[in-house]
Amino acid sequence: MKEALTRVQTLSAHPDSRCWFVSWNPTGTLLASCGGDKAIRIWGREGDSWVCRSVLQDGHQRTVRKVAWSPCGNYLASASFDATTCIWKKKNHEFESFDVLEGHENEVKCVAWAPSGNLLATCSRDKSVWVWEVDEEDEYECVTVVNSHTQDVKHIVWHPTRELLASASYDNNVCVYAEEDDDWECRATLTGHTSTVWSLAFDAAGERLASCSDDRTVKIWRETPGDSGQGDSSWKCVCTLSGYHGRTVYDVSWCRLTGALATACGDDAVRVFTEDEASDPEQPAFSLAAQATRAHSQDVNCVAWSPTEAGLLASCSDDGDVTVWRFHREP
Amino acid sequence: MSGGTSLENANPVIFERSGERLLTATDENEDVHDPIDDREIFDILFLHLIRSINDPEHPLSLEELNVVEQVRVKVNDAESTVGIEFTPTIPHCSMATLIGLSIKVKLLRSLPDRFKIDVHITPGSHASEEAVNKQLADKERVAAALENSSLLEVVNQCLTPRDI
């Protein structure tokens, strides 16, 4: 089998700035990018190329670190260094600032919607993770503040089907939270990385979680259910990908359609790993299937697989560009 | 930026500044490819940049306090990497992060974008070496710090050359 990563298009998304993050809408028709220029850009497809559909400015006073689409695709949330999270509502083909969530003491690093669309989570350099509830009147209320990390919280991600939340931190740990009696509690702390954990991604079934770190490794964790089905679950590291990344691994994306794992690295490369079909689920083996060593001219900050088109991958970089790639597997 | 009435290191050892390098004929020949190497770092970064960075507590440059030495500057032009180790004046220097940040900012502003810049504390020279190194290596926190106008002002103050 021959695999390759080919460049489809490079967009000068945030010129003279850094592009921090990209996010696909649920139908894979729009891509949102954000960056150090405090702006969010929405990209849409026109024939074979991607064009800028709208620019969302004036929502934030400082860097927009991450963006996330609601599961219905009608809302976009943006997390900013200005300590706020903006909710944008799609109206016809434009986006309007709809609400501003305040409360974190300093930089908001990440925002994520639960699969139901009724919950939103944010995390910050103030070491906390906040869970917000969205009611029928589209009002946001903070229901929990969890302080399980001892340092800056970098990333949060929801389980694909269950109301389970995972967070990654500068304290080198990953925490997994679940709701108990209207309160969110840390159910498991995943220790093993030896430096900052930058990002997380669940696999399609939600049985496994991938984490990537400043320690230049990617770890795969697998859930082992608790004895009674209640209480603490435990997550065991079943695989460590080491020796592939030359510098910090800033992001990881696990394709829900193909199972391929993509990484964004500080050595300017985008890499794609595939799981060896014959490998034991208790001890899975991943191999490097394809890589673009000079994917960008500076650090790659984010990789995101299209949710609807198998093999379509977007990446973004400190050079301000967004690149769309196609990952081929030829039999 | 003395931060208080008493100085942490009241009597620093002051080191002599090194002299200017003499240009050779090939240096001035525009046809000869001149990659950025250790000597270039010494010339460009050390003489013109680091020498101008001031210690936040003393009206002295980092070179005069031996915070930065040429042997602790490693550059690889082909791989676009620059590594710098700096030595805080005392093991409990509370200014270590600020000094490291100032060095990093000066290099970020002066070198082409392709360079990966790693600023570390000289091993064994500071009590919180690991924590300071981790913070300086975290580009997200560095980016956030540089959006903080009061901190940026302090950094810029450290980077303003004095008359020497």
Side-chain angles (χ1 to χ4, degrees):
Chain A
M1 204 147 65
K2 191 172 163 280
E3 285 123 341
L5 199 55
T6 51
R7 190 182 299 262
V8 176
Q9 195 183 348
T10 293
L11 311 162
S12 182
H14 297 263
D16 307 319
S17 172
R18 147 192 266 161
C19 183
W20 275 116
F21 204 71
V22 285
S23 178
W24 295 94
N25 71 342
T27 51
T29 55
L30 298 174
L31 185 70
S33 66
C34 61
D37 57 2
K38 305 166 193 166
I40 300 161
R41 283 182 179 75
I42 311 289
W43 306 85
R45 199 177 213 160
E46 222 152 76
D48 283 336
S49 64
W50 296 83
V51 292
C52 184
R53 288 276 169 78
S54 25
V55 185
L56 283 56
Q57 276 165 317
D58 309 322
H60 291 290
Q61 307 303 310
R62 292 178 57 185
T63 284
V64 184
R65 180 63 181 92
K66 279 173 195 166
V67 281
W69 294 88
S70 63
C72 65
N74 292 326
Y75 298 88
L76 184 72
S78 55
S80 166
F81 284 0
D82 68 10
T84 70
T85 304
C86 259
I87 309 292
W88 306 80
K89 190 175 184 174
K90 197 171 161 188
K91 208 171 184 186
N92 302 319
H93 291 289
E94 286 303 313
F95 290 82
E96 284 177 359
S97 176
F98 175 72
D99 207 346
V100 180
L101 311 185
E102 293 175 335
H104 280 294
E105 280 172 37
N106 39 40
E107 297 100 69
V108 184
K109 297 293 179 72
C110 189
V111 57
W113 297 84
S116 65
N118 298 329
L119 295 169
L120 184 79
T122 55
C123 65
S124 161
R125 193 164 75 88
D126 68 13
K127 307 170 190 177
S128 67
V129 172
W130 292 38
V131 179
W132 307 77
E133 208 165 66
V134 193
D135 68 16
E136 282 147 17
E137 273 98 51
D138 268 352
E139 297 205 340
Y140 293 78
E141 188 196 356
C142 175
V143 289
T144 304
V145 175
V146 204
N147 286 292
S148 297
H149 286 292
T150 58
Q151 293 286 344
D152 188 357
V153 189
K154 298 295 196 186
H155 196 83
I156 37 172
V157 64
W158 288 91
H159 188 278
T161 53
R162 289 152 58 197
E163 289 200 337
L164 208 65
L165 181 69
S167 64
S169 167
Y170 188 88
D171 69 11
N172 308 353
N173 295 336
V174 174
C175 285
V176 179
Y177 313 83
E179 193 180 4
E180 191 159 303
D181 302 329
D182 295 332
D183 231 357
W184 288 76
E185 287 180 354
C186 178
R187 288 287 178 81
T189 302
L190 286 54
T191 57
H193 280 296
T194 56
S195 190
T196 303
V197 186
W198 279 97
S199 186
L200 301 166
F202 277 104
D203 69 359
E207 287 167 358
R208 296 179 296 176
L209 179 68
S211 59
C212 63
S213 165
D214 179 52
D215 69 13
R216 305 179 182 194
T217 71
V218 173
K219 286 184 182 289
I220 311 288
W221 309 81
R222 191 180 161 87
E223 188 179 18
T224 45
D227 295 336
S228 57
Q230 282 223 330
D232 288 3
S233 67
S234 72
W235 290 77
K236 195 171 74 174
C237 178
V238 292
C239 177
T240 300
L241 298 171
S242 59
Y244 294 105
H245 299 94
R247 292 178 71 87
T248 304
V249 191
Y250 287 111
D251 195 29
V252 60
S253 177
W254 207 331
C255 183
R256 300 270 161 97
L257 304 171
T258 66
L261 200 68
T263 60
C265 186
D267 64 8
D268 307 348
V270 169
R271 295 178 176 87
V272 178
F273 298 85
T274 50
E275 188 170 359
D276 300 350
E277 281 164 21
S279 73
D280 176 359
E282 295 295 325
Q283 288 174 298
F286 285 79
S287 41
L288 183 65
Q291 64 178 330
T293 49
R294 297 259 182 273
H296 287 275
S297 65
Q298 293 180 57
D299 294 5
V300 188
N301 291 323
C302 175
V303 277
W305 291 106
S306 159
T308 51
E309 193 176 331
L312 200 66
L313 180 75
S315 66
C316 70
S317 163
D318 277 355
D319 64 18
D321 291 349
V322 169
T323 296
V324 180
W325 306 87
R326 205 175 293 280
F327 174 60
H328 298 276
R329 302 185 80 172
E330 290 159 4
Chain B
M1 257 308 288
S2 59
T5 48
S6 66
L7 296 175
E8 283 189 7
N9 185 10
N11 295 300
V13 183
I14 300 167
F15 293 79
E16 234 178 272
R17 293 199 305 267
S18 48
E20 303 287 332
R21 184 175 65 88
L22 295 171
L23 287 175
T24 64
T26 44
D27 287 334
E28 286 172 345
N29 185 348
E30 295 293 328
D31 297 331
V32 177
H33 175 64
D34 194 10
I36 296 175
D37 57 14
D38 288 3
R39 191 185 67 178
E40 185 94 354
I41 286 294
F42 178 75
D43 291 347
I44 298 174
L45 306 181
F46 190 73
L47 285 178
H48 299 137
L49 308 182
I50 292 166
R51 175 175 277 183
S52 68
I53 298 176
N54 302 320
D55 180 79
E57 202 171 64
H58 293 283
L60 296 164
S61 78
L62 298 188
E63 186 195 5
E64 288 164 308
L65 292 165
N66 225 31
V67 169
V68 181
E69 301 162 272
Q70 192 202 345
V71 292
R72 302 200 182 278
V73 178
K74 297 273 181 279
V75 65
N76 185 329
D77 183 79
E79 290 177 13
S80 302
T81 58
V82 173
I84 291 204
E85 282 177 358
F86 69 103
T87 314
T89 50
I90 48 168
H92 290 277
C93 178
S94 61
M95 305 291 182
T97 310
L98 180 60
I99 293 173
L101 185 64
S102 300
I103 294 172
K104 186 142 189 168
V105 169
K106 194 73 190 176
L107 293 170
L108 284 171
R109 287 177 184 168
S110 311
L111 288 173
D113 291 338
R114 66 185 164 92
F115 277 95
K116 310 282 183 190
I117 300 155
D118 294 310
V119 178
H120 298 283
I121 286 182
T122 305
S125 68
H126 196 272
S128 315
E129 180 184 325
E130 209 176 308
V132 175
N133 286 345
K134 190 172 186 178
Q135 209 165 340
L136 291 173
D138 186 323
K139 68 171 184 181
E140 186 186 59
R141 288 167 73 131
V142 169
L146 298 179
E147 286 185 5
N148 176 330
S149 55
S150 52
L151 182 59
L152 188 62
E153 201 179 309
V154 175
V155 168
N156 283 334
Q157 216 174 322
C158 290
L159 295 175
T160 306
R162 297 160 301 122
D163 296 323
I164 45 174

